[in-house]
Amino acid sequence: MRRWLRISLGILGILLVGAALFFFLPARLDPVQASVRQPRGAALIERGRYVATASDCVACHSVPGGRPYAGGLAFNLPFGTIFSSNITPDRQHGIGTWTDAEFVRAMRHGVDDQGRELYPAFPYTAYANLSTDDILALRAYLNTLEPVAKPVQANGLRFPFNQRYLMRAWKLLNAPQHPWQPDPQRSAEWNRGAYLVEGAGHCAECHTPRNFIYGLVRSQAYAGAVTQGWKAYNITSDPESGIGNWSVDELARYLGTGHAPGRGAASGSMGEAVSLSLSKLTPADLRAMAVYLRSLPPKNTEAAARVERNSPAMAASTLYSPGQAAAHGNVPGLRLYESACASCHGWNGEGVQSRYASLRGAQTVNDPEATNLIQVILRGTSIETQYGHATMPAFGASLSDAEVAALSNYVLQHFGNKRPSVTPERVARARAEGR
């Protein structure tokens, strides 16, 4: 009996020592070196600027009205709030004292210059797919920014999520174990698209649902997810609930401009991604991303949200007046649309003042859950592209929850041929979700 007790205690001791080493041993810092193909001087800085743009760094590391890259943006997650870091070259509050090796480690493994584990609100699980040359070019570009001496607010996470060392176990389950490698069976264009989508673009971070520990559900990759009140839609090749019936040209145009005829316009987080990142990429890279996205395995997730390209109400309407059928039923919603929306969006889905006001074929007006429709009505939306600036004002302050629900249901019926599903209670939740 004593012998078995000693063996059990010995095994327990080994497990405890192993756990201590795993969780608390300092993170390894490997030396890094650029390849012989890496440009120098101004060309290196320009390459880094492009990587920063493709990675949409400024979106997460800036607050509205604040200094670019100075951090402080809040990510309200189920287990607390995380604030983005200052990545200007300020030596006290930014990354001015970081070595190249420390920067590469952060991008690849989610560990900062002090050896502390970083939370996956910073998408290092995607950035791990970037080449060493691209990461070092990004570092060189960030070094050229003006230092901003701005401290960032401490994270507000609940126990046990505030214990950073636990992230090592999370990474075992969720971080890639090997860097991305090109597929020799695919074209150079497909591989470039895969590199951008899976790496710099980190598209899966928004378009893939997460499990209870905030890891991506890989079996549902790109099948759509809701984050902070906004839905990133299914972008797999499924023809009903995804982008399977989009052409490569349509998708590339949508990525670069936030709009494609008969597909509606980007809004919310996607509109921001177009404004700050995608619209600034080369046409070749946008097409490569479209080629790769069109090859993603189909996931049929929301049959009820199938896009209606020409609903009966739209077909019976003109640009400036609703058809007879559209003037019956949801009278409060009709009156609200008539007074607040019709002058820009029109009645037949084509849009009056701008192509960005077109609602024909838009996923937003075909989703019975009305996730993004409610948010757009409440908060408005804005998009900046190479073709100009387009803005929809917010109506959250002027419309009650009941009015937003009535308006949403009318839009769903008229443009998506969907049954009314939005309640005032749903709108009230959306007001809180998107804050």
Side-chain angles (χ1 to χ4, degrees), residues 39-116:
R40 298 179 181 275
L44 174 63
I45 304 305
E46 177 56 25
R47 178 174 183 174
R49 183 200 63 77
Y50 192 82
V51 173
T53 301
S55 304
D56 206 9
C57 302
V58 71
C60 290
H61 290 278
S62 311
V63 296
R67 301 282 294 278
Y69 298 100
L73 186 68
F75 293 84
N76 298 311
L77 305 173
F79 39 83
T81 302
I82 293 174
F83 295 91
S84 64
S85 58
N86 181 335
I87 57 171
T88 72
D90 182 76
R91 296 182 65 82
Q92 181 177 358
H93 302 293
I95 58 172
T97 61
W98 288 39
T99 66
D100 286 349
E102 289 167 344
F103 186 79
V104 171
R105 182 177 65 178
M107 293 286 288
R108 285 253 172 84
H109 305 294
V111 178
D112 72 6
D113 63 322
Q114 302 298 313
R116 296 172 299 189

Side-chain angles (χ1 to χ4, degrees), residues 8-304:
S8 298
L9 290 174
I11 293 174
L12 178 60
I14 292 172
L15 291 175
L16 289 174
V17 171
L21 291 173
F22 173 76
F23 284 111
F24 300 110
L25 195 68
R28 191 176 67 184
L29 186 64
D30 297 322
V32 296
Q33 185 174 3
S35 74
V36 295
R37 297 183 300 275
Q38 182 80 311
R40 298 179 181 275
L44 174 63
I45 304 305
E46 177 56 25
R47 178 174 183 174
R49 183 200 63 77
Y50 192 82
V51 173
T53 301
S55 304
D56 206 9
C57 302
V58 71
C60 290
H61 290 278
S62 311
V63 296
R67 301 282 294 278
Y69 298 100
L73 186 68
F75 293 84
N76 298 311
L77 305 173
F79 39 83
T81 302
I82 293 174
F83 295 91
S84 64
S85 58
N86 181 335
I87 57 171
T88 72
D90 182 76
R91 296 182 65 82
Q92 181 177 358
H93 302 293
I95 58 172
T97 61
W98 288 39
T99 66
D100 286 349
E102 289 167 344
F103 186 79
V104 171
R105 182 177 65 178
M107 293 286 288
R108 285 253 172 84
H109 305 294
V111 178
D112 72 6
D113 63 322
Q114 302 298 313
R116 296 172 299 189
E117 304 296 323
L118 298 173
Y119 292 105
F122 171 51
Y124 50 82
T125 53
Y127 293 156
N129 292 313
L130 293 176
S131 68
T132 300
D133 279 359
D134 274 349
I135 296 176
L136 291 176
L138 172 61
R139 164 69 171 169
Y141 168 71
L142 293 176
N143 280 344
T144 69
L145 301 177
E146 181 181 353
V148 180
K150 174 191 170 185
V152 173
Q153 185 175 344
N155 296 328
L157 297 175
R158 298 189 300 274
F159 182 85
F161 304 104
N162 59 352
Q163 305 300 303
R164 289 180 178 268
Y165 62 88
L166 295 177
M167 290 307 305
R168 292 196 176 185
W170 184 91
K171 291 175 187 177
L172 281 180
L173 300 173
N174 297 285
Q177 301 303 309
H178 305 285
W180 178 85
Q181 295 293 329
D183 184 346
Q185 303 302 315
R186 297 281 193 166
S187 68
E189 183 178 50
W190 184 95
N191 277 296
R192 176 62 178 171
Y195 178 76
L196 290 167
V197 169
E198 300 289 350
H202 59 280
C203 305
E205 297 293 316
C206 289
H207 288 275
T208 300
R210 294 181 181 273
N211 56 31
F212 72 99
I213 59 172
Y214 207 67
L216 297 179
V217 182
R218 298 292 179 181
S219 63
Q220 289 295 304
Y222 300 100
V226 176
T227 303
Q228 299 195 103
W230 291 88
K231 178 180 287 187
Y233 294 115
N234 183 332
I235 55 171
T236 71
S237 60
D238 183 76
E240 290 191 348
S241 53
I243 58 170
N245 62 4
W246 291 52
S247 70
V248 169
D249 288 341
E250 283 180 316
L251 188 53
R253 179 172 180 173
Y254 188 88
L255 292 173
T257 69
H259 176 269
R263 303 295 185 181
S267 60
S269 301
M270 186 62 191
E272 182 183 63
V274 171
S275 295
L276 299 176
S277 175
L278 295 168
S279 64
K280 304 178 189 306
L281 301 188
T282 65
D285 276 351
L286 292 172
R287 181 176 177 83
M289 293 177 73
V291 166
Y292 176 71
L293 289 171
R294 287 281 286 106
S295 75
L296 292 173
K299 304 284 193 311
N300 192 296
T301 53
E302 296 178 287

